Every structure is written in structure tokens, then in C-alpha cells.
Amino acid sequence: MDRKEFIKSCGYACIATVVSSALLESCSTSTHIASAVTSGNTLSILKSEFVTGKKEEFRKFVIVNSSKYEYPICIYKINDTEYSALLMQCTHNSCELNPQGTFLVCPCHGSEFSNTGVVQNPPAEKNLQAFTTTTDNEKIYIHL
């Protein structure tokens, strides 16, 4: 293979890598920012925030913002009656966590936490701040 063919092949490989990574990234779970209503020390969101619009398909989590905290809160649907609400602040170095399906990942040092806030992968050693949740037929209440 001569030099021009080699450079041409490398160029095609680079383009293919960029295109394939963009396609794979588009398949990842999208983040849904839910509308929350604050009343005293309670945030409330509609259970319908977990509905994607596609028949019988539900989001694993939604994100809400609270004026009480610098970091957002991630709410996971554990089952039809149980929800987990976690402050998205890493307990290792205070970086904002990224939800990845059924767990949260710290982009700074790689700590991982379960959807209930339990440390799964260090360097973090302390579980996430979790909030008590209650529900009724239509809403989820996060007690701050």
C-alpha cells in the first residue's frame, strides 16, 4: 500500500469512528426534566412524568430541580408504588452525577451508585443523600 492509500484509509477509519460513536450515543437513555411543584419542604411531580408516550414504555428515571439544593434530584421508579429520590451530588468530590439507566455515575472519578443511592464502585465511600418519597394515585411526593 502506498502512502496516499494509507492516508486515505486512515481518513475513512476516522470518519467511520466519529459517525458510529454519534449513532451509539443517540441510542442512550435521554434525560427527562420533570415539572415539580414545591410546597414547603415537599416537591411533587405527576406519575405521568415517567410515561414516554410510547405504548407501555416508561422512563427509568426523571430529574427535578429544587431551589433548596444546588444539585438536581434524580427520581427512579423502582416499581408501581416505590420511588427513590437521590441528590445528584457525588459524596466523594461533590461533582454532579450522570444518570445511566439504573445507576448514577460520577464523571470526575468514576464512582457509581445504585438507583437507591448505595455506592457500587469507589472512590466514593458514602451513599448518596436520599429523600423519603410517598405517593398517591397521581403524584409522587419528595420530602426534602
Side-chain angles (χ1 to χ4, degrees):
M1 178 184 294
D2 68 353
R3 185 173 184 221
K4 285 184 182 180
E5 284 298 314
F6 176 75
I7 292 172
K8 191 174 172 182
S9 295
C10 288
Y12 287 137
C14 289
I15 290 170
T17 301
V18 169
V19 169
S20 63
S21 68
L23 287 173
L24 288 174
E25 187 174 315
S26 69
C27 294
S28 67
T29 305
S30 62
T31 300
H32 177 72
I33 308 296
S35 298
V37 175
T38 304
S39 176
N41 286 332
T42 305
L43 282 176
S44 63
I45 67 165
L46 294 172
K47 287 183 176 180
S48 62
E49 292 283 1
F50 283 89
V51 178
T52 64
K54 296 180 183 175
K55 190 175 182 179
E56 300 198 20
E57 189 174 313
F58 298 92
R59 293 181 177 90
K60 293 177 182 170
F61 64 88
V62 296
I63 307 296
V64 294
N65 292 309
S66 168
S67 58
K68 286 191 156 206
Y69 293 95
E70 179 182 349
Y71 296 89
I73 297 169
C74 185
I75 305 161
Y76 279 99
K77 182 176 182 174
I78 307 300
N79 58 46
D80 287 340
T81 59
E82 185 181 2
Y83 295 84
S84 169
L86 307 167
L87 188 64
M88 295 176 61
Q89 179 182 13
C90 184
T91 56
H92 170 248
N93 210 20
S94 295
C95 294
E96 186 172 321
L97 301 171
N98 296 323
Q100 301 290 321
T102 59
F103 59 97
L104 294 159
V105 177
C106 180
C108 297
H109 298 107
S111 294
E112 292 181 8
F113 302 87
S114 72
N115 62 356
T116 57
V118 177
V119 175
Q120 302 294 302
N121 190 34
E125 295 177 353
K126 202 172 143 189
N127 295 337
L128 295 178
Q129 179 176 346
F131 301 98
T132 302
T133 61
T134 55
T135 64
D136 61 22
N137 289 337
E138 296 178 2
K139 294 181 182 177
I140 304 159
Y141 302 97
I142 300 116
H143 304 280
L144 305 176

